[in-house]
Amino acid sequence: AGFGGAGLYNWQADFIVRRCIFRNNESDNAAAMYNDGRDGNSAFVIDSCLFEGNSALDFGGSALYNFRTLYAIENCRFLNN
């Protein structure tokens, strides 16, 4: 992917992600998941997911990038990102 979020790109949305695998994604920023709650009212939950082998080529987190979001990460595994 280009700028970010090869696995999931979120722009100011509320959501729940459960039992997903984000593996071997590559992007400039936030290879697996990019979350932008620019207006400060975005909220989400990530539950029982695997983030493995994701690579950011430029800046930001290789697995996750969160900007002005409210979130909970529960029961997830992060391996070799």
Side-chain angles (χ1 to χ4, degrees):
F3 176 74
L8 186 147
Y9 183 90
N10 169 42
W11 180 266
Q12 302 182 24
D14 297 335
F15 64 93
I16 298 172
V17 175
R18 283 196 180 100
R19 294 180 296 275
C20 291
I21 296 173
F22 296 89
R23 182 179 285 142
N24 298 329
N25 292 288
E26 187 175 279
S27 184
D28 292 343
N29 179 36
M33 185 181 295
Y34 180 97
N35 300 294
D36 192 327
R38 194 160 302 258
D39 292 334
N41 58 2
S42 174
F44 61 90
V45 175
I46 303 169
D47 181 30
S48 303
C49 293
L50 171 65
F51 293 83
E52 181 178 21
N54 300 291
S55 300
L57 304 175
D58 192 8
F59 65 93
S62 57
L64 293 170
Y65 174 82
N66 300 306
F67 178 72
R68 298 189 70 183
T69 58
L70 302 172
Y71 62 92
I73 299 173
E74 304 167 348
N75 306 309
C76 292
R77 294 181 64 198
F78 294 83
L79 302 171
N80 302 315
N81 294 289

